[in-house]
Amino acid sequence: MTISTKKIGSAIATGALLLNAFAPLAFADTTITISGNGTKSDNTANVVTANTTSVTQTNTANVTNNVTSNASTGENKASGNTGGDVTVKTGDAKNTTNVSTSVNANSANVGNCNNCGGDTNVEISGNGKKSTNDVNLTAVNTTAVAQTNNATVRNNVDATAKTGYNKANGNTGGDVMIDTGDATSNATVSTTANANSARVGGGNGGNGSISLIISGNGKKSDNDIKFLATNSVALIQSNDANVKNNVDVEAKTGGNKANNNTGGDVTVKTGDATSGANVSTLANFNAADVACGCDMTILAKEVGNGKESTNDINATVANALAVVNANTLSLDNCIDANSKTGYNNSNGNTGEAGSDPFVETGDATNSTTVNNSANVNVVGSVPAFPTLPANVSFTANFAAVWAAWSAFLSIM
């Protein structure tokens, strides 16, 4: 910002200059001139330019997902048979459950300072002696953005895969065999809630100028310029997320019984039991980019006015910025993931000499992953658009706001 003040001429002049500049403003070209008026004239120009922008975005989501998913090839019975072999053989049981919830996104792009290049020119000149000349110019730009999200998400997921719990009891004659397939159960629960992204201003406006001139007025004239320009931005971003995940995942190949059989071999052989639970919660993100990027030049002159004249320029250019980010999160994860190949019984069997009861279980594998990322505020540059996680699906409007969420990805 450049400030230039000059007084020219041999006449006696009294001047007062007040400049208080914080940040440039955006308004269109304004020209105010009081010129060439006669002796003892009284001339006043009062101009108010005001621009008010108010944006309110509010989302409320209540989501409850109750999911029960079962895959079973087990719980078969082959009991009380006489003669011949008895075989119970199950196929594989696979259960895959995916629950994805994406709710509550606000995106606001307010103004780009397109009028920063506009000029303001105020001139009081060439008026007669003892004239009174006043210019009062007020330019006010007010922007208020409020973004609010409230999300309540309940995920109740029960996923089970079973090939076990088969019975072959009390058979007489021949071999008895229980052979189960594999049981695989996987549950993926993903919750993404509450994103606010706001961009106020943008900085493509160029350089405007303010020119305030009192010149060439007669003796004993009274000349005043009062210029007030204010720019205020109030940005409030708030999120409230209440997420509860109750996930029960089970894979079972065990729980088989081959008891009290007579004659032949008794074999119980289970497949593998594999279970996995992946729970991901991404909640409460605020990103704000508030800027103008303009470089205003102010020129104030009191020049060539008559003796005993009184000349005052009071110019105030002020910028007020208030950004409030608030996040509230209640998160409760109850995860129960089990893989079972045991709990098999082979008791009370009577076979031929040299034939022993045989129990062989497969592997039991459990993999549980819980990722929680919540409550991030970014004030400044909004992050660039990242690659979406493979297990998260977004609607088109939500994807547009995802540009502000790369900060989350970096901490996951």
Side-chain angles (χ1 to χ4, degrees):
M1 178 175 289
T2 302
I3 299 175
S4 176
T5 304
K6 296 181 180 178
K7 293 185 178 180
I8 302 175
S10 58
I12 299 175
T14 302
L17 179 64
L18 173 62
L19 293 175
N20 182 11
F22 293 97
L25 297 184
F27 42 87
D29 291 346
T30 301
T31 299
I32 301 174
T33 302
I34 296 178
S35 177
N37 298 290
T39 302
K40 296 184 179 181
S41 62
D42 189 350
N43 309 293
T44 303
N46 297 309
V47 179
V48 177
T49 62
N51 181 44
T52 301
T53 302
S54 179
V55 178
T56 302
Q57 297 173 316
T58 302
N59 293 311
T60 300
N62 294 298
V63 180
T64 300
N65 296 309
N66 295 316
V67 180
T68 300
S69 181
N70 295 308
S72 179
T73 61
E75 299 189 48
N76 303 289
K77 296 180 181 180
S79 303
N81 299 289
T82 301
D85 298 331
V86 176
T87 301
V88 176
K89 185 175 182 179
T90 73
D92 298 332
K94 295 182 178 180
N95 188 317
T96 300
T97 304
N98 296 305
V99 179
S100 178
T101 302
S102 298
V103 294
N104 294 355
N106 293 317
S107 179
N109 192 346
V110 182
N112 280 324
C113 287
N114 291 322
N115 294 322
C116 287
D119 297 330
T120 299
N121 300 298
V122 179
E123 182 177 355
I124 298 176
S125 65
N127 298 289
K129 66 180 181 180
K130 296 184 181 180
S131 62
T132 300
N133 308 292
D134 298 293
V135 174
N136 299 299
L137 172 60
T138 301
V140 179
N141 185 38
T142 303
T143 302
V145 180
Q147 297 174 316
T148 303
N149 292 310
N150 292 292
T152 299
V153 181
R154 297 285 185 271
N155 293 310
N156 301 310
V157 180
D158 186 358
T160 303
K162 295 180 182 179
T163 61
Y165 295 89
N166 302 287
K167 296 180 181 180
N169 301 320
N171 297 290
T172 302
D175 298 329
V176 175
M177 181 176 182
I178 297 176
D179 186 2
T180 75
D182 298 329
T184 304
S185 181
N186 290 297
T188 300
V189 178
S190 176
T191 301
T192 304
N194 297 351
N196 292 316
S197 176
R199 187 187 298 274
V200 180
N204 65 340
N207 300 321
S209 65
I210 298 173
S211 176
L212 309 174
I213 298 175
I214 298 176
S215 68
N217 298 287
K219 68 178 183 180
K220 294 187 179 180
S221 61
D222 188 351
N223 308 293
D224 295 291
I225 295 177
K226 295 179 181 179
F227 175 71
L228 171 63
T230 62
N231 184 41
S232 61
V233 177
L235 175 62
I236 300 175
Q237 296 174 316
S238 63
N239 295 309
D240 187 355
N242 190 333
V243 181
K244 188 170 185 177
N245 296 308
N246 296 315
V247 181
D248 187 359
V249 181
E250 292 185 318
K252 298 178 180 179
T253 61
N256 302 287
K257 296 181 180 180
N259 300 321
N260 302 314
N261 296 289
T262 301
D265 298 330
V266 177
T267 301
V268 176
K269 185 177 181 181
T270 74
D272 297 332
T274 304
S275 67
N278 296 302
V279 179
S280 177
T281 301
L282 194 66
N284 295 355
F285 179 69
N286 293 317
D289 188 3
V290 183
C292 185
C294 310
D295 185 11
M296 300 287 284
T297 300
I298 297 179
L299 174 63
K301 284 186 179 181
E302 298 168 356
V303 56
N305 297 290
K307 67 179 182 179
E308 298 183 24
S309 62
T310 301
N311 307 292
D312 298 294
I313 297 177
N314 297 292
T316 301
V317 180
N319 183 61
L321 171 64
V323 178
V324 178
N325 293 325
N327 293 310
T328 302
L329 174 68
S330 174
L331 176 62
D332 188 1
N333 291 314
C334 299
I335 315 298
D336 186 5
N338 295 305
S339 296
K340 296 180 180 180
T341 60
Y343 299 94
N344 300 289
N345 294 322
S346 180
N347 302 318
N349 297 293
T350 302
E352 299 175 357
S355 62
D356 298 324
F358 181 75
V359 176
E360 180 180 6
T361 72
D363 298 327
T365 304
N366 180 274
S367 177
T368 300
T369 302
V370 178
N371 288 319
N372 298 316
S373 297
N375 296 352
V376 174
N377 296 316
V378 175
V379 178
S381 250
V382 177
F385 194 94
T387 301
L388 296 178
N391 65 336
V392 179
S393 174
F394 291 89
T395 58
N397 63 332
F398 206 97
V401 182
W402 180 259
W405 286 58
S406 61
F408 264 35
L409 297 183
S410 66
I411 61 175
M412 287 183 64

